[in-house]
C-alpha cells in the first residue's frame, strides 16, 4: 500500500481522475487529492472526497474547516510515496517546467521528493506543439515521468494523439515504483478452481474465481519475484511479468506443480483443488434415463500434502477456506501437510471468500505465531502474505 497524491488539473479528462481514485483505493492505496481551481470547473471536490475518503485540497490560503493548518502543502509533499498528475494540462506542464509554484498543487509538486508522474491530456495539436514538447523534455530530464497519451477521439471533436492513458494504465505505473524486495526468489502460486470431467460435456468444479491467487502472483511479480502461476480455469486477466501454466483437473495441476517444485523457493497454494473426481469419465455424453443416477468418485492427490512430504528448502503456504471451526481446521492442515504457513478465512463472512474483492485472513505460522489481518483488498492481503514469506526466507538464509 502506498500513499498516493492525485493532482487534478483543468481538462475534460478530469472525470477519469475519479475512476483512477476509486481504482487506487480498491488496490489498497491511501489516496489524497489536490485540485486546481480549473479542475473544479470539470468535477467537484465532493466527488474525489467521497471516492478517496479524504478531504480534498483546493486552496493554499483557506484550508477547509476540517483540515489542520500546518503548512499543508509541505506536510502532504512529505507524506506522499508518489504524485500522479491526472490529467496534466499543457498549462500545468509548462508551469512546473518553468519552476512556477503559485497554488496548492504546484507547490506540492515542487516540494516533494517522491516520484511525480504526469498523464497529459489535451488537443492533439496542443500536444504536438514544440513548446509543450520542449517542456515535457525538460521535465523528463529533471526526473519527472510521463504516461504518454494515446491516439483517439478527443473532446474537441478531432482525433489524434492527446487522449489520456486509461486509469488502469496509470495505476499500473505505480507498480513499477515498488521496492524489488522479492528479486531472486522463485515463487510458484496456484489459483482458481479445478475441473473434473464427468463426460465430454460435463464437469465438477467449485466457486473459486482465482482472484486471491492472481493477486498474489501480481504483487509478487511487481516486487521482483520470478513467478509461475499454475491456474485452473479463471476469467482473471494474466498479470504482466508472470508465467502462466493453464491446467484443468487436479491431476494436471499436480503434474504442473511437481515440474516446478525443485527450482521453487516458495509455493503458495491458493487454488481450490477438487478432493474427488469421477471414477470413470464417460467417452460419450451420458444420456438421461428414467431413474436416478449415482456418480462414483475417487480421491484426487492432495498436492500440498505431497509438497509437504517432499519439502527440502521450500517455504510452503496453504490456504484454508472454511465455513466452521476455522482455527481448528487450519491448525490441523498446517501440521498434517508440513506447511510453514496456513492462510485461513471464513468463506461465510460477507467480506471474505469466493469472488469477493476483499478478504479477511488469519495466518497461522509453524512457529506458533498468529497474524490476524484486517479486512483488506485482495492485493493488499497478498502483500501481507508475501511479507511473511519474505521474513521467513530471510531468517532461514541467515541461519544457513
Ligand atoms: O482442500 P483443503 O481445505 O485441504 O485445502 C487446503 C490447502 O491444500 C489449499 O492450499 C489447497 O490448495 C491445497 N490442496 C491441494 N490438493 C488437494 C486439496 C487441497 O493442494 N487435493
Amino acid at each position: 500500500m502506498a500513499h498516493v497524491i492525485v493532482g487534478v488539473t483543468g481538462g475534460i479528462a478530469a472525470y477519469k481522475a475519479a475512476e483512477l481514485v476509486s481504482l487506487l483505493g480498491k488496490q489498497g492505496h491511501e489516496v489524497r487529492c489536490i485540485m486546481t481551481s480549473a479542475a473544479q470547473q470539470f468535477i467537484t471536490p465532493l466527488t474525489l472526497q467521497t471516492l478517496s475518503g479524504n478531504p480534498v485540497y483546493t486552496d493554499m490560503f483557506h484550508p477547509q474547516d476540517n483540515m489542520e493548518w500546518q503548512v499543508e502543502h509541505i506536510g502532504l509533499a512529505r507524506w506522499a510515496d508518489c504524485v500522479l498528475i491526472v490529467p496534466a494540462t499543457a498549462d500545468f506542464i509548462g508551469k512546473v517546467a518553468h519552476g512556477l509554484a503559485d497554488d496548492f498543487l504546484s507547490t506540492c509538486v515542487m516540494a516533494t521528493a517522491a516520484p511525480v508522474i504526469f498523464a497529459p491530456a489535451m488537443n492533439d495539436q496542443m500536444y504536438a506543439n514544440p513548446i509543450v514538447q520542449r517542456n515535457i523534455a525538460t521535465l523528463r530530464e529533471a526526473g519527472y515521468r510521463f504516461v504518454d497519451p494515446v491516439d483517439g477521439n478527443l473532446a474537441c471533436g478531432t482525433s489524434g494523439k492527446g487522449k489520456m492513458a486509461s486509469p488502469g494504465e496509470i495505476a499500473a505505473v505505480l507498480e513499477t515504483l515498488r521496492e524489488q524486495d522479492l528479486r531472486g526468489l522463485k515463487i510458484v502460486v496456484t489459483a482458481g478452481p479445478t475441473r473434473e470431467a464427468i463426460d465430454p460435456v460435463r464437469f465438477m468444479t467449485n466457486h473459486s474465481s482465482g482472484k486471491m491467487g492472481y493477486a498474489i502472483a501480481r504483487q509478487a511479480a511487481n516486487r521482483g519475484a520470478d513467478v509461475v502461476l499454475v491456474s485452473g480455469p479463471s476469467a482473471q486477466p494474466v498479470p504482466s511479468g508472470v508465467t502462466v501454466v493453464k491446467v484443468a483437473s487436479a491431476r494436471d495441476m499436480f503434474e504442473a506443480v511437481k515440474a516446478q517444485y525443485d527450482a521453487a523457493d516458495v509455493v503458495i497454494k491458493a487454488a481450490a483443488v477438487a478432493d474427488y473426481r469421477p471414477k470413470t469419465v464417460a467417452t460419450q455424453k451420458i444420456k438421461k434415463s428414467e431413474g436416478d443416477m449415482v456418480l462414483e468418485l475417487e480421491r484426487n492427490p492432495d498436492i500440498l500434502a505431497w509438497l509437504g512430504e517432499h519439502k527440502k528448502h521450500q517455504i510452503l503456504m496453504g490456504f484454508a477456506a472454511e465455513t466452521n471451526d476455522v482455527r481448528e481446521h487450519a491448525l490441523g492442515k498446517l501440521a498434517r501437510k508440513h506447511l510453514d504457513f496456513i492462510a485461513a478465512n471464513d468463506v461465510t463472512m460477507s467480506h471474505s471468500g469466493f469472488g469477493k474483492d476483499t478478504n479477511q485472513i488469519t495466518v497461522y505460522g509453524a512457529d506458533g505465531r498468529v497474524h490476524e489481518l484486517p479486512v483488506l483488498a485482495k492485493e493488499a492481503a497478498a502483500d501481507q502474505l508475501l511479507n511473511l514469506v519474505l521474513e521467513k526466507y530471510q531468517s532461514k538464509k541467515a541461519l544457513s
Side-chain angles (χ1 to χ4, degrees):
M1 178 179 116
H3 290 168
V4 184
I5 292 178
V6 175
V8 186
T9 71
I12 184 59
Y15 81 93
K16 289 190 195 159
E19 198 183 330
L20 175 70
V21 170
S22 162
L23 181 64
L24 293 172
K26 283 187 197 139
Q27 291 177 347
H29 301 295
E30 187 170 346
V31 184
R32 290 180 179 258
C33 299
I34 306 173
M35 298 176 81
T36 62
S37 55
Q40 294 167 62
Q41 301 292 321
F42 292 91
I43 60 169
T44 72
L46 183 62
T47 310
L48 298 182
Q49 176 175 330
T50 309
L51 292 168
S52 67
N54 284 312
V56 173
Y57 300 82
T58 52
D59 195 334
M60 279 276 276
F61 303 109
H62 302 98
Q64 288 174 11
D65 295 345
N66 50 358
M67 288 183 200
E68 281 176 43
W69 174 243
Q70 39 139 328
V71 199
E72 285 280 355
H73 56 289
I74 304 294
L76 205 58
R78 284 206 195 105
W79 172 87
D81 296 318
C82 172
V83 180
L84 303 174
I85 308 296
V86 180
T89 55
D91 176 70
F92 193 75
I93 290 168
K95 202 162 159 174
V96 181
H98 288 83
L100 299 180
D102 65 351
D103 64 4
F104 204 111
L105 185 57
S106 52
T107 48
C108 187
V109 166
M110 215 54 82
T112 192
V116 179
I117 299 161
F118 290 81
M122 64 195 77
N123 162 271
D124 56 335
Q125 293 297 334
M126 261 171 110
Y127 185 67
N129 185 302
I131 300 172
V132 173
Q133 287 303 317
R134 202 159 54 229
N135 288 340
I136 290 176
T138 303
L139 290 174
R140 281 192 205 273
E141 245 168 63
Y144 291 93
R145 296 173 53 162
F146 284 80
V147 188
D148 291 338
V150 294
D151 262 311
N153 293 331
L154 302 173
C156 45
T158 55
S159 115
K161 188 167 179 180
K163 180 182 158 146
M164 193 172 80
S166 69
E169 277 170 73
I170 298 168
V173 173
L174 259 190
E175 300 296 349
T176 64
L177 304 173
R178 294 285 309 259
E179 189 193 345
Q180 301 291 289
D181 57 352
L182 298 177
R183 191 180 291 284
L185 257 78
K186 174 155 179 184
I187 303 185
V188 176
V189 182
T190 70
T194 58
R195 268 183 196 173
E196 307 298 330
I198 297 170
D199 68 14
V201 297
R202 302 183 180 96
F203 55 81
M204 293 170 32
T205 189
N206 59 63
H207 287 297
S208 171
S209 63
K211 278 185 185 166
M212 191 65 228
Y214 276 64
I216 295 169
R218 184 177 308 113
Q219 297 308 91
N222 286 336
R223 291 168 62 169
D226 173 8
V227 184
V228 177
L229 175 63
V230 179
S231 173
S234 166
Q236 294 300 304
V238 173
S240 67
V242 168
T243 306
V244 179
V245 181
K246 292 252 178 194
V247 297
S249 70
R251 283 187 294 180
D252 295 344
M253 185 173 276
F254 191 27
E255 292 311 316
V257 172
K258 274 200 288 191
Q260 302 290 335
Y261 197 39
D262 280 347
D265 298 302
V266 178
V267 181
I268 302 181
K269 285 230 65 207
V273 186
D275 294 322
Y276 294 91
R277 64 173 178 268
K279 196 163 188 172
T280 52
V281 181
T283 50
Q284 307 285 337
K285 183 180 170 191
I286 300 169
K287 297 285 173 216
K288 61 177 162 297
S289 54
E290 279 308 306
D292 296 339
M293 105 169 240
V294 174
L295 196 59
E296 203 181 341
L297 303 178
E298 64 184 1
R299 273 300 305 260
N300 265 329
D302 189 319
I303 306 169
L304 195 49
W306 185 93
L307 297 178
E309 274 165 36
H310 296 83
K311 181 156 88 164
K312 291 184 211 117
H313 56 281
Q314 295 90 344
I315 295 171
L316 292 184
M317 178 180 277
F319 272 73
E322 305 291 350
T323 54
N324 60 296
D325 302 323
V326 178
R327 183 186 158 83
E328 289 66 33
H329 284 128
L331 289 173
K333 285 174 193 174
L334 181 73
R336 221 172 28 250
K337 303 195 189 196
H338 309 291
L339 307 180
D340 297 283
F341 298 101
I342 186 114
N345 61 6
D346 183 341
V347 287
T348 61
M349 309 272 271
S350 62
H351 44 251
S352 289
F354 297 128
K356 302 270 164 51
D357 290 321
T358 56
N359 214 346
Q360 181 168 30
I361 297 176
T362 302
V363 187
Y364 301 89
D367 59 3
R369 286 200 293 163
V370 180
H371 311 266
E372 276 189 45
L373 307 183
V375 178
L376 291 170
K378 284 186 171 171
E379 264 75 16
D383 268 325
Q384 299 283 337
L385 301 179
L386 291 166
N387 290 347
L388 291 174
V389 166
L390 178 62
E391 190 193 316
K392 173 90 190 180
Y393 178 77
Q394 285 168 339
S395 66
K396 263 176 97 167
K397 226 165 97 178
L399 288 175
S400 64

